[in-house]
Amino acid sequence: VSPVTPEHTRAKAWGRRLGNLFARSSVINPPTRGNIAPGPIRNRYALVVGVGRFRHGIHTLEFAARDALAYHQFLTDPRRGQFRPENVTLLTDENATRAAIVAALDRLRAIAQEDDLVTLYISSHGSPPDKKGAVNVVTYDTETSPRERLWQTSITEEILKDFVEGLRD
């Protein structure tokens, strides 16, 4: 996630909060299977999201969709990322709704097997922390009014945590 934020926003706290999510989910230091070395990567899957335009008046991000497209092209290049194009889902701007992103995460979780590589790339705004300190990823259709709708209509920490923890090692 690449939060583009004004100077007064605590982006470091936001990044630390999201980083802690992945640390708690054993992504940074994955568990090992006894003394068995990890096997070779069997399949590569990715979800690439770039949201630069928003339905409900949220400030536009100039490079989010373009960067997502460039990353998608890198991943699917047979000389570079070597991901099969059918294994990479690209969602940008109006296609990057909360429902579409959740459905793509659910699809990835269902098809990825042990020893598969799963990559998640999201470029969008991040939300301010909610009452519990959780931060969310803003989608094309995230609502901003009343304020609570921001957290109810975006990609929550819980959605990302469930995705990461639901993947097979």
Side-chain angles (χ1 to χ4, degrees):
V1 175
S2 147
V4 178
T5 58
E7 290 295 320
H8 66 278
T9 303
R10 298 179 324 171
K12 289 181 182 179
W14 195 94
R16 188 171 42 254
R17 177 79 184 197
L18 196 58
N20 288 340
L21 165 75
F22 291 112
R24 288 191 312 268
S25 299
S26 301
V27 171
I28 295 171
N29 293 308
T32 58
R33 295 180 227 145
N35 293 328
I36 301 170
I41 295 172
R42 294 180 321 138
N43 293 301
R44 293 173 171 87
Y45 299 99
L47 171 59
V48 180
V49 178
V51 192
R53 294 190 321 251
F54 303 87
R55 179 186 300 159
H56 298 290
I58 297 170
H59 179 70
T60 300
L61 296 174
E62 184 176 351
F63 302 109
R66 187 185 77 183
D67 289 351
L69 179 59
Y71 189 61
H72 176 268
Q73 290 169 337
F74 170 82
L75 289 177
T76 57
D77 185 321
R79 296 170 314 231
R80 297 164 81 200
Q82 302 176 1
F83 282 63
R84 292 179 19 203
E86 62 271 19
N87 289 351
V88 181
T89 301
L90 174 65
L91 300 172
T92 59
D93 293 332
E94 62 275 352
N95 294 314
T97 63
R98 183 180 194 273
I101 294 169
V102 168
L105 290 170
D106 289 345
R107 245 187 337 273
L108 270 177
R109 186 175 39 235
I111 62 174
Q113 300 295 312
E114 188 175 285
D115 294 326
D116 287 347
L117 173 65
V118 177
T119 300
L120 177 60
Y121 174 94
I122 303 175
S123 181
S124 182
H125 283 297
S127 75
D130 66 12
K131 293 175 184 175
K132 297 179 184 176
V135 293
N136 300 353
V137 177
V138 176
T139 64
Y140 172 76
D141 56 343
T142 295
E143 300 171 20
T144 59
S145 182
R147 184 176 173 98
E148 293 77 26
R149 292 294 296 157
L150 177 69
W151 301 300
Q152 297 164 354
T153 60
S154 54
I155 301 297
T156 64
E157 276 189 27
E158 201 62 33
I159 290 169
L160 293 173
K161 177 180 169 280
D162 290 347
F163 170 72
V164 171
E165 291 179 350
L167 291 172
R168 296 166 188 87
D169 293 336

